Amino acid sequence: MTMNTTATTIAISVEHLHVSYNGVEAIRDVSFELDAGNLVGIIGPNGAGKSTLLKALLHLIPRDRGEIAFLGRPIRELRQRIAYVPQRSEIDWHFPITVLDTVLLGTYPMLGWFRRPGKRERDWAADCLEQVGMADFRNRQIGELSGGQQQRVFLARALAQQPELFFLDEPFVGVDLVSEQTIVQILKEQQARGKTIVVVHHDLSKANDYFNKLLLINRELVGFGEVDEVFRPEVMSQAYRGEFSFMRELGVSI
C-alpha cells in the first residue's frame, strides 16, 4: 500500500481518548484530526497532560479508552514510519555509544529481522549528522556532548528512520540558541516535504514562529487549529486560567 501524504490525508485521528494514572484522570475525552504536512505544537500549562497525550498517542503508556489511527492505520502497522524523540531527561547519557552509532539506530526499523546496517546505512547516518551540523562529532560518546548537541543527534536519529510522522517531547528544553534554530529549520524542511510533525512545547513566546497549528490542552482539548485561531486571549485563558494574566505581565503576546 502506498502512503499518500498530501494535505488532504488525515495523518492522525484521535477519538475520545481518556488516560488516567492511579485512578486520577490525566487526559479527558480528547478528539481531533490532523492533516498530513502540518507542524503542530502541543501547548498548555504545567501538568496539563501534554507529554501524557503524546505518549498515549504512541502507545507508550496505556489508555483507558479511545481510538487512535495514523494515516488511517493502527500504530502496529506503521510504527517503523513513526519517529519519536523523547525528553532528554528520559535518556541514559552514560550509555557507551558513539554519536554515529546512535544515529545508526534510526536505520534499524527499515532493515527487517536479522539484518545489520551496512555501508549504505552508515553513509546515510553520516548524512543525517551532516544535516544537523554534527558530522564532526561522529566518534564522540553521546554523553560528552552539550544538551543542544545531544538533541541534534537524536533528531538526526529520527531523520535516519525516514519517517512519515515525527513526535518530539520538549525538544528545546536545555538547548542552546544555535541548536534550537537548527532543529526548527529542519522540522520546517521536513514539513515542506509533506511530513507531519507534533511537538510538545512550553515557550509560548515562540509558538507563532515555530508552528502552523496549535493543540491547546489542559487535561481536555481546549483549542485546536491554526495558530491565530488558538493564540487568542479568549481561548488561551480557558487553559491557563489564573496563569493567563501572569503571562501577559511577562510580555507574552497573545
Side-chain angles (χ1 to χ4, degrees), residues 5-6 21 53 56 67 82 100 133 135 144 159 224 227 229 243 253:
T5 55
T6 64
Y21 292 113
L53 173 61
E67 299 296 326
I82 298 172
L100 181 62
E144 297 176 358
L159 293 172
F224 176 64
V227 173
E229 295 175 356
E243 299 178 45
S253 178

Side-chain angles (χ1 to χ4, degrees), residues 88-105:
R88 290 182 55 254
S89 60
E90 299 178 6
I91 298 168
D92 179 8
W93 299 110
H94 299 291
F95 190 79
I97 188 171
T98 67
V99 166
L100 181 62
D101 286 340
T102 298
V103 178
L104 200 59
L105 292 174

Side-chain angles (χ1 to χ4, degrees), residues 168-216:
L168 299 90
D169 194 353
E170 297 277 17
F172 306 122
V173 171
V175 307
D176 57 278
L177 181 59
V178 171
S179 292
E180 183 167 341
Q181 291 174 339
T182 299
I183 293 169
V184 171
Q185 178 183 344
I186 291 172
L187 294 181
K188 289 188 175 182
E189 289 172 355
Q190 292 298 311
Q191 179 196 9
R193 295 172 184 169
K195 309 297 184 180
T196 305
I197 303 137
V198 179
V199 180
V200 172
H201 186 65
H202 74 285
D203 187 350
L204 295 179
S205 67
K206 298 178 180 179
N208 189 56
D209 296 327
Y210 288 1
F211 310 108
N212 72 295
K213 287 186 182 291
L214 293 175
L215 189 154
L216 176 62

Side-chain angles (χ1 to χ4, degrees), residues 107 120-128 131 159-162:
T107 67
R120 183 174 67 175
E121 287 75 28
R122 296 187 74 84
D123 288 346
W124 171 236
D127 182 69
C128 291
Q131 292 181 50
L159 293 172
Q161 193 176 332
Q162 302 181 64

Side-chain angles (χ1 to χ4, degrees), residues 41 43-44 214-218 220-224 230 235-236 239-240:
I43 62 172
L214 293 175
L215 189 154
L216 176 62
I217 188 173
N218 192 352
E220 58 187 13
L221 186 64
V222 178
F224 176 64
V230 176
V235 178
M236 298 294 290
Y240 283 87

